[in-house]
């Protein structure tokens, strides 16, 4: 795995590092540390812009087409919008009196949900510029949430509630949890031998120990999945394939379970991937690969055979350990942040591109390099862009 570029501590300035790949295209990555600045880089590591904030970045998210990056900052009620097409930033007044605490773009439309530190909600339509404020959606800080493909919005907060709302902000369902929620996702549950067509189930980590599955069409029968204590806390989880969940645990384990109704909670695979700790997992559907990071290395597996190791990337200089892991949508680039405050980007897939003329062959050897070979004269040329 070839390293494309690295952003060291002096570039990002402070940990923890947050970053977000541009959705769909993956041409940009937004990165921020503790310096109140979000920096935009292209996929070669060249800085394109930076957005100054009044405080630390709380959250940032790209819209479904990768056209707009939304950002919220600590102790601010504004929403900052960076346009990838014009390379310009605008500041939008949310109309809320309290600071923002959460934001997420819809999967299907230019709808942005933004939650506040007091539990209020704003739904903003980017195309029409319409703002819908909803007061009292939660009684405390909104901390997590997600959109479904059917434009339903699920939110979780410090009040230990899940709310399901439509795209106008009307509450459809409320559920009470045993602990604070995090990492919320809408999913399609597998029933019998088929996948049900719509996303009627919300999955969420509760108290870092339980994976809670709430079907709002069957609210009286939620499913609570608990795991062996020696695994540690739930760090992250990803849905993939035909109703499978990969779950990463703090003590280095990752586990795969099925959500088939007859197998629910059954551990299909369990392995200790990292000796001391695991901090993040990522899945690339386009590559059919899964990755986990912990200690000072990234381990990559093929989803068709998770028992086999596909590749290992060692980062021995990162003596404080690794943090978060994320692929571009096309699977070409994999980024990892570190506890020390740096970010590294690796090439994990290269397009097959080549041509020939007479006795010469030209082929792509990296994103910015073409190799030309003349096998008769035994001459190699490297062309850099």
């Amino acid at each position: 795995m070839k390293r494309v570029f690295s952003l060291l501590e002096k570039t990002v300035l402070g940990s923890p590092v947050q970053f977000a790949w541009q959705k769909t295209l993956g041409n940009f990555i937004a990165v921020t540390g503790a310096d109140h600045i979000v920096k935009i880089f292209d996929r070669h590591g060249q800085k394109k812009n930076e957005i100054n904030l009044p405080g630390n970045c709380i959250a940032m998210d790209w819209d479904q087409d990768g056209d707009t990056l939304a950002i919220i900052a600590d102790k601010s009620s504004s929403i900052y919008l960076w346009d990838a097409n014009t390379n310009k930033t605008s500041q939008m007044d949310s109309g809320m009196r309290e600071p923002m605490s959460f934001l997420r773009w819809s999967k299907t439309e230019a709808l942005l949900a933004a939650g506040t530190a007091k539990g209020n909600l704003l739904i903003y339509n980017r195309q029409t510029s319409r703002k819908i404020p909803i007061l009292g959606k939660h009684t405390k800080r909104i901390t997590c949430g997600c959109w479904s493909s059917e434009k339903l919005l699920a939110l979780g907060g410090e009040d230990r509630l899940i709310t399901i709302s439509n795209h106008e902000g009307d509450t459809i369902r409320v559920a009470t949890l045993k602990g604070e929620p995090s990492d919320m996702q809408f999913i399609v549950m597998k029933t019998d031998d088929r996948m049900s067509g719509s996303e009627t189930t919300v999955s969420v980590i509760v108290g870092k120990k339980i994976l809670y599955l709430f079907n709002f069409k069957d609210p009286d029968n939620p499913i609570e999945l608990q795991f062996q204590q020696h695994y540690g806390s739930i760090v992250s989880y990803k849905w993939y394939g035909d109703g499978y969940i990969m779950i990463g645990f703090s003590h280095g384990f990752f586990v795969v379970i099925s959500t088939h109704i007859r197998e629910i909670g059954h551990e299909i695979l369990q392995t200790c991937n990292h000796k001391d700790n695991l901090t993040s997992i990522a899945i690339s559907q386009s590559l059919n690969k899964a990755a986990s990071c912990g200690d000072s290395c990234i381990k990559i597996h093929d989803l068709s055979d998770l028992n086999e190791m596909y590749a290992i990337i060692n980062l021995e200089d990162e003596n404080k350990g690794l943090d978060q892991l994320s692929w571009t949508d096309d699977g070409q680039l994999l980024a990892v942040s570190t506890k020390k405050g740096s970010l590294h980007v690796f090439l994990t897939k290269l397009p097959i591109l080549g041509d020939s003329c007479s006795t010469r062959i030209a082929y792509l050897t990296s994103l910015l390099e073409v190799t030309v070979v003349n096998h008769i004269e035994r001459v190699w040329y490297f062309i850099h862009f």
Side-chain angles (χ1 to χ4, degrees):
M1 299 290 174
K2 186 173 181 179
R3 190 181 308 203
V4 180
F5 66 88
S6 293
L7 305 175
L8 302 180
E9 309 91 86
K10 61 182 180 181
T11 303
V12 183
L13 293 178
S15 62
V17 174
Q18 295 181 64
F19 67 94
W21 283 111
Q22 180 191 33
K23 289 177 187 169
T24 308
L25 298 173
N27 287 332
F28 299 106
I29 184 169
V31 185
T32 186
D35 58 351
H36 303 182
I37 301 173
V38 174
K39 299 180 177 73
I40 312 290
F41 297 88
D42 67 15
R43 57 168 48 206
H44 307 298
Q46 298 298 311
K47 189 169 77 170
K48 293 300 178 183
N49 207 334
E50 59 181 41
I51 299 115
N52 290 288
L53 305 174
N56 285 335
C57 176
I58 296 296
M60 53 185 175
D61 191 36
W62 293 90
D63 70 356
Q64 81 279 11
D65 297 320
D67 291 332
T68 306
L69 174 70
I71 306 164
I72 53 175
D74 188 28
K75 299 174 184 176
S76 172
S77 60
S78 295
I79 299 172
Y80 299 82
L81 302 169
W82 181 74
D83 190 313
N85 299 309
T86 63
N87 195 19
K88 292 182 178 178
T89 306
S90 58
Q91 181 178 343
M92 183 181 76
D93 182 8
S94 68
M96 300 291 186
R97 294 182 179 179
E98 64 271 17
M100 311 307 290
S101 61
F102 162 83
L103 61 73
R104 187 63 50 87
W105 286 101
S106 165
K107 293 178 181 179
T108 56
E109 294 187 18
L111 293 173
L112 178 66
T116 77
K118 290 188 177 180
N120 299 319
L121 172 67
L122 175 74
I123 297 177
Y124 169 64
N125 188 316
R126 176 77 162 146
Q127 289 182 328
T128 65
S129 298
R130 184 188 178 204
K131 301 176 188 175
I132 306 174
I134 299 100
L135 302 179
K137 176 61 68 175
H138 283 255
T139 59
K140 294 182 179 180
R141 174 186 292 267
I142 294 173
T143 56
C144 60
C146 57
W147 288 90
S148 77
S149 299
E150 289 83 26
K151 294 194 296 183
L152 295 177
L153 175 65
L155 296 170
E158 292 180 352
D159 54 5
R160 299 187 175 185
L161 294 178
I162 294 175
T163 57
I164 312 291
S165 309
N166 63 20
H167 68 283
E168 296 280 335
D170 302 318
T171 302
I172 297 169
R173 192 75 68 186
V174 178
T176 303
L177 303 173
K178 295 178 180 177
E180 284 193 25
S182 60
D183 200 351
M184 189 176 286
Q185 301 174 35
F186 264 105
I187 52 105
V188 179
M189 279 286 285
K190 188 173 181 184
T191 56
D192 300 325
D193 293 321
R194 66 189 188 283
M195 300 288 284
S196 64
S198 58
E199 297 173 332
T200 59
T201 301
V202 173
S203 59
V204 62
I205 299 171
V206 178
K208 299 183 179 181
K209 294 291 185 182
I210 298 169
L211 187 60
Y212 186 86
L213 307 179
F214 175 69
N215 185 339
F216 63 86
K217 294 289 181 71
D218 186 17
D220 297 328
N221 295 294
I223 298 169
E224 292 187 11
L225 301 176
Q226 300 193 46
F227 303 91
Q228 298 181 47
Q229 285 191 354
H230 72 273
Y231 289 171
S233 302
I234 300 174
V235 170
S236 178
Y237 71 99
K238 304 292 180 186
W239 288 81
Y240 74 97
D242 192 20
Y244 296 103
I245 316 174
M246 177 180 290
I247 309 167
F249 293 88
S250 60
H251 290 173
F253 291 86
F254 82 75
V255 172
V256 175
I257 62 173
S258 170
T259 61
H260 191 290
I261 201 65
R262 292 193 295 267
E263 303 173 332
I264 192 75
H266 174 65
E267 294 184 6
I268 296 168
L269 174 77
Q270 178 264 99
T271 184
C272 187
N273 230 25
H274 300 273
K275 181 182 176 182
D276 295 323
N277 64 71
L278 182 152
T279 57
S280 182
I281 61 172
I283 284 180
S284 171
Q285 302 284 2
S286 58
L287 279 185
N288 201 41
K289 298 286 191 296
S292 67
C293 68
D295 306 328
S296 296
C297 71
I298 302 168
K299 295 187 177 181
I300 301 175
H301 301 258
D302 196 304
L303 286 176
S304 57
D305 187 3
L306 287 165
N307 289 303
E308 294 295 321
M309 193 73 66
Y310 174 77
I312 300 176
I313 302 171
N314 287 303
L315 291 159
E316 294 173 358
D317 292 341
E318 296 294 347
N319 50 18
K320 291 186 179 179
L322 307 183
D323 195 8
Q324 297 301 307
L325 197 61
S326 180
W327 255 296
T328 53
D329 285 352
D330 62 8
Q332 274 198 7
L333 299 172
L334 177 66
V336 60
S337 60
T338 75
K339 300 283 190 182
K340 196 162 62 175
S342 54
L343 181 124
H344 306 282
V345 174
F346 296 90
L347 183 66
T348 50
K349 183 182 78 170
L350 189 66
I352 299 172
L353 189 64
D355 202 358
S356 64
C357 178
S358 184
T359 59
R360 294 183 294 275
I361 300 171
Y363 55 95
L364 194 67
T365 44
S366 81
L367 292 177
L368 293 173
E369 181 185 83
V370 172
T371 299
V372 181
V373 182
N374 189 323
H375 284 282
I376 302 300
E377 298 176 2
R378 296 185 178 276
V379 176
W380 279 259
Y381 303 95
F382 302 97
I383 302 170
H384 298 273
F385 298 94

